[in-house]
Amino acid sequence: MHRTGPWLRAAEGAMLLGPDGIPAPTVFAEMSALAAATGAINLGQGFPDQDGPVEVLDAAVEAIRRGVNQYPPGRGAPELREAIAWHQAHWYGLSVDPDREVLVTAGATEALAATLLAFVEPGDEVITFEPFYDAYGALIRLAGGTHVTVPLTAPDFLPDEDTLRAAFSDRTRIVLVNTPHNPTGRVLPREVLATVLELAERHDAFVVTDEVYEHLTFGTMHVPVATLPGAADRTITISSAGKTFSTTGWKIGWLTAAPALVEAVVSVKQYLTFVNGAPFQPAVATGLRLPDEVFHGIARELSEKHDLLAAGLRSAGFDVMRPDGGYFVLADTAPLGYDDARAFCLRLPELAGVVGVPVSAFVRPERAAGYRSLVRFAFCKRRDVLSAAAARLAALSPAR
Ligand SMILES: *Cc1c(COP(=O)(O)O)cnc(C)c1O
């Protein structure tokens, strides 16, 4: 009776359908279970193991005590919407009306879900880069859309311009751009974003952005698509507090867009979660208004954590690709004599007591060959954890 339904499209879109047509657990669940069973250090899933700014945490506690415990307004607490508008002006020079152009959501995930469900009709095409965050594939298919991808390939993980142009058609409804990019760590340069915008204009498509790592960059400036000339009318900018403030469990996200677009997304969002996280909303407002130095400090600390883990990976013999931003580093297992990252990840707990995830989990089977030997490791962990992982990895011996 439950053998079919939209859930099957979601599983298929997230690349979880096995050859038998039965949805498999995600590679994150599989690898986390492996870490738990073997006591290996889990660098598979991308969540921090340390708290973020104490001002943000204190503000949430204080809000609960102050009685901010009932449904907040549908579009989000006014103080958070104002802080989001302030943040967009302060960091990017964008002018956003907090009453008409901001929507607070249950994480970036709900912002993406509500946006895709609001605008994608069956048969419409949605373009993303590939590798892609697994939720994109699932949500596009749930909305009835067709998922078209443009590969980002080693060594630079930038899209080929002709391939990008060829991906657009008159069926393109949305191009979904994730920068800084998970899992490659690439911050997309302004020229690539300008090409995306030009193509979106030509084919009358929306640009939806996922900027959850906007503050976690290591020297390369993040450019929101919305700052490009002509982008304002067709761009929906999505971000979240989870990654910036190490509060992934709070699920406070948001989007900013032109009033008519926000209205359309509200029509869907109000029947998904309606609202969420009342006391966390003023806490995130406090976070967004913290001094610039706090944001720079968060990025600097993460960059040092990257260096710690990357050094361990290099001395183990991996080819390591330096990310421009985000939580993750990609390592190539080929120089160690392993050509199948999935098989390697399954053995890594036993070989070195560490868990990572194969990049093939972010790629469709037909494209997997290009990413076959790549592993993604998370470095959003405590220094002592990363040092221990680096030491364990450095002791890894090449395959025979
Ligand atoms: C973590 C992550 C998200 C999810 O953000 P939430 O605010 O937790 O919903 C979305 N996109 C990317 C690329 C991510 O890495």
Side-chain angles (χ1 to χ4, degrees), residues 27-322:
V27 71
F28 311 101
E30 188 184 6
M31 296 299 168
S32 292
L34 195 59
T38 58
I41 298 175
N42 190 355
L43 304 183
Q45 249 174 347
F47 61 86
D49 59 358
Q50 240 174 336
D51 281 331
V54 69
E55 297 90 331
V56 177
L57 305 178
D58 284 348
V61 173
E62 196 266 324
I64 292 173
R65 295 259 179 245
R66 172 154 65 83
V68 186
N69 298 306
Q70 311 309 326
Y71 297 132
R75 290 184 179 216
E79 62 192 292
L80 176 54
R81 283 187 278 112
E82 276 155 27
I84 291 164
W86 179 86
H87 172 275
Q88 296 306 89
H90 175 74
W91 288 94
Y92 308 122
L94 287 166
S95 160
V96 173
D97 177 346
D99 293 326
R100 299 164 68 227
E101 298 182 323
V102 180
L103 176 64
V104 176
T105 55
T109 308
E110 191 199 26
L112 287 161
T115 299
L116 290 164
L117 291 169
F119 295 116
V120 175
E121 295 277 17
D124 283 352
E125 293 182 355
V126 179
I127 300 173
T128 74
F129 294 115
E130 184 172 12
F132 54 86
Y133 187 63
D134 56 351
Y136 297 174
L139 293 171
I140 291 166
R141 294 297 308 279
L142 271 180
T146 302
H147 189 180
V148 174
T149 66
V150 177
L152 304 177
T153 49
D156 62 355
F157 296 110
L158 290 175
D160 170 68
E161 188 172 329
D162 291 337
T163 312
L164 181 58
R165 287 185 185 278
F168 279 79
S169 77
D170 290 335
R171 288 185 306 275
T172 306
R173 182 68 164 155
I174 288 176
V175 52
L176 168 48
V177 180
N178 172 213
T179 181
H181 184 259
N182 174 8
T184 66
R186 194 51 66 241
V187 168
L188 293 173
R190 184 183 297 273
E191 308 80 73
V192 170
L193 302 177
T195 305
V196 167
L197 180 63
E198 174 211 314
L199 291 165
E201 279 166 350
R202 185 173 312 158
H203 296 280
D204 199 21
F206 295 120
V207 183
V208 176
T209 70
D210 177 344
E211 307 182 23
V212 301
Y213 297 104
E214 61 186 315
H215 286 293
L216 308 181
T217 58
F218 316 136
T220 311
M221 263 263 288
H222 166 65
V223 181
V225 175
T227 60
L228 301 183
D233 296 349
R234 61 179 70 250
T235 302
I236 298 175
T237 301
I238 293 176
S239 194
S240 163
K243 307 290 161 64
T244 302
F245 302 124
S246 296
T247 52
T248 60
W250 289 8
K251 295 297 284 191
I252 300 297
W254 54 86
L255 60 84
T256 57
L261 300 185
V262 172
E263 254 158 51
V265 180
V266 167
S267 306
V268 174
K269 185 262 188 295
Q270 66 192 343
Y271 301 114
L272 291 177
T273 59
F274 173 43
V275 292
N276 77 299
F280 301 126
Q281 294 195 16
V284 170
T286 299
L288 289 175
R289 290 182 189 271
L290 285 172
D292 292 7
E293 187 39 47
V294 174
F295 290 84
H296 295 146
I298 290 169
R300 203 180 317 118
E301 186 179 343
L302 198 59
S303 167
E304 288 165 11
K305 288 178 168 186
H306 160 271
D307 296 348
L308 193 57
L309 181 63
L313 289 166
R314 272 199 202 91
S315 53
F318 292 94
D319 260 347
V320 182
M321 288 145 223
R322 188 176 164 74

